[in-house]
Amino acid sequence: MNIIAQKTSLLGSITVPGSKSHTIRALLLATMAEGTSHIKNPLPSADCLSTAAAVPLVGAEIDLSLSVEGEPGTEWIVSGAGKNIHLPEDVINVGNSGSLLYFLSSIAATFDGWSIFTGDESIRRRPVHHVVEALNQLGAICNTARPGVDGCPLIIHGPIKAGTVRTDGTVSSQYISGMMMAGTLLDGELHIELSAPTETPYLTMTQKWLEKVGVKCSISDDYKHITVQGPVTINAFETTIPSDWEAVAFPLVAALIAPDSNIVIEHIDGSGTQGDDAIVDVLRSVGGNIVWDKTAETITVKTSRLTTENLPNKELHVAMSPFPDAICALAVAACFIEGTTILEDAAVCRRKETDRLSALASELKKIGAEVEEGKDYLKIFGHSPLLADGSANPDFKIHGATVESYLDHRIAMSMACAGLGLKANERITVKDAECCNVSFPHFFEVMNNIGANFAEPN
């Protein structure tokens, strides 16, 4: 499916789906629990549905409360495997979900026997050598099925044992979270020593989830030392999944750059467990008109002239390793910011659904952006559509084009949002845009409810 985006104004209220990161953690911990857990406001995205399809293979039962039309409901019920959790009964196909791959592979490694993990074309390109090395330190026999290829299929023979594992943590935080959850099944303390931890807010999220279900878990202030005490009997729980900050980023940026826009994003998570909420302060620093009412759980966003003029050296520097999934939205915003934006410490972004640094550099150049791609950064020389006096900026050169999504949901959504800030009679066509369903089901319909006017070509 191709989607056309062009200049428009956004008005009204919007609610984004529940958090993918929270939903997947809730599903896996409910699977490990004794009894029946109730998960409200789950994200019914492709990644979460891949998780729901996988957990019965290790002993859980799940009721998605399907509608007559087959749509997942707003409360999912998981009958946990508890002490009967077992080796996967079949190959685990994670679809497009890196979270599921990296989380469940460590859990599967606690069992005696072979587990096999694979996924779609994108997943089979994502690195797994760090998982192999870490699990082998704990006693697994772990390798990739294709000699010399750092990607799935991933084959694992357990069981791993409690002890100490040393790894750098630079590739991703997800396999660290997976080992933390696996630690609840081990007899003794699991110590994880990280030399260069990244995506640290997600490690905190996992810690809070483990503590919520009664697990003793500690993380040092520098995130280099993690301890999980096992074994633990996890009891069933009831939880409501908070809104997904990774999804909030797209209407947030869209409203800032689409002319004459004024929107309210509702049910905002103010718990601090999602690192992507840092995007608010980043965009405020360049003049974004954003009001976050934590009591009302709302964010109000209005069209703004964005500029780096009040920042040191008139440059916006954003370290991306704590919240790398925001790079797509921020890269698009940077095209509309007067001044230089440097999205740095971003090497982890090359190991997502696609190499996002390369993909963003390529596609943003197609729409007229001036972009410099480095080993671990993107430097974007942007211009506001408006001068300080409100008149049109002759240096603003962003224009329409046909762009690739690379089957990457965040690239598809960000490039579609870029189209909303174009000049009149310009349009961006995003190819293979249906991949948005991975993290934001019905993204285009939801955005159209506030005036985005996304449409398929005639």
Side-chain angles (χ1 to χ4, degrees), residues 93-423:
N93 189 322
V94 303
N96 189 248
S97 178
S99 297
L100 176 57
L101 169 64
Y102 295 136
F103 292 173
L104 192 54
S105 57
S106 290
I107 294 170
T110 67
F111 307 120
D112 185 8
W114 290 100
S115 301
I116 303 173
F117 287 79
T118 190
D120 66 9
E121 181 182 358
S122 173
I123 280 291
R124 295 195 302 274
R125 293 195 304 267
R126 294 184 71 169
V128 294
H129 70 274
H130 52 298
V131 179
V132 170
E133 293 174 356
L135 294 180
N136 284 346
Q137 288 182 50
L138 294 172
I141 301 171
C142 184
N143 214 327
T144 56
R146 295 175 290 167
V149 177
D150 181 16
C152 286
L154 174 67
I155 53 177
I156 305 166
H157 191 287
I160 58 175
K161 303 293 184 182
T164 300
V165 57
R166 293 179 173 85
T167 183
D168 56 24
T170 57
V171 176
S172 168
S173 69
Q174 292 171 327
Y175 74 113
I176 308 301
S177 287
M179 288 191 291
M180 291 168 69
M181 286 186 271
T184 67
L185 298 172
L186 302 180
D187 186 9
E189 283 191 345
L190 174 64
H191 298 275
I192 305 173
E193 302 294 316
L194 304 178
S195 59
T198 56
E199 302 178 321
T200 52
Y202 295 101
L203 297 178
T204 299
M205 181 188 292
T206 302
Q207 178 189 23
K208 289 184 178 296
W209 264 105
L210 291 176
E211 291 174 344
K212 177 177 180 175
V213 297
V215 179
K216 291 183 179 179
C217 175
S218 65
I219 301 180
S220 63
D221 291 343
D222 61 4
Y223 288 90
K224 292 185 176 182
H225 311 284
I226 301 173
T227 300
V228 180
Q229 178 66 58
V232 179
T233 298
I234 297 174
N235 293 318
F237 54 87
E238 181 175 307
T239 191
T240 299
I241 301 299
S243 54
D244 190 355
W245 267 101
E246 295 168 3
V248 168
F250 298 104
L252 178 62
V253 167
L256 289 174
I257 65 176
D260 302 315
S261 295
N262 185 348
I263 70 168
V264 176
I265 309 173
E266 299 181 324
H267 306 301
I268 292 294
D269 176 19
S271 68
T273 58
Q274 299 183 59
D276 291 69
D277 61 6
I279 194 173
V280 171
D281 287 338
V282 170
L283 293 172
R284 280 173 171 168
S285 74
V286 291
N289 188 339
I290 305 168
V291 178
W292 184 357
D293 186 332
K294 293 188 178 182
T295 301
E297 298 182 344
T298 61
I299 283 181
T300 302
V301 192
K302 298 180 181 180
T303 305
S304 306
R305 181 177 185 272
L306 306 176
T307 175
T308 64
E309 61 188 3
N310 295 320
L311 298 178
N313 299 318
K314 296 185 178 181
E315 292 181 340
L316 172 62
H317 288 257
V318 187
M320 297 307 309
S321 65
F323 61 123
D325 285 332
I327 194 167
C328 298
L330 284 174
V332 163
C335 298
F336 295 79
I337 298 173
E338 187 68 35
T340 301
T341 298
I342 304 171
L343 305 175
E344 54 200 4
D345 189 19
V348 66
C349 300
R350 293 195 183 277
R351 300 182 288 269
K352 294 293 184 177
E353 282 79 346
T354 188
D355 179 341
R356 285 178 175 162
L357 298 188
S358 176
L360 285 167
S362 172
E363 303 316 297
L364 292 177
K365 288 176 182 178
K366 289 180 182 178
I367 64 171
E370 185 179 353
V371 183
E372 176 185 315
E373 178 189 351
K375 183 177 180 181
D376 68 343
Y377 71 87
L378 288 179
K379 182 181 290 187
I380 300 169
F381 306 91
H383 292 286
S384 169
L386 300 176
L387 297 173
D389 63 6
S391 60
N393 184 355
D395 292 328
F396 179 72
K397 304 295 185 182
I398 301 301
H399 57 71
T402 296
V403 299
E404 302 290 337
S405 69
Y406 299 83
L407 300 179
D408 185 326
H409 51 126
R410 301 199 196 286
I411 289 180
M413 288 186 282
S414 62
M415 296 306 299
C417 289
L420 306 184
L422 296 178
K423 296 177 181 178

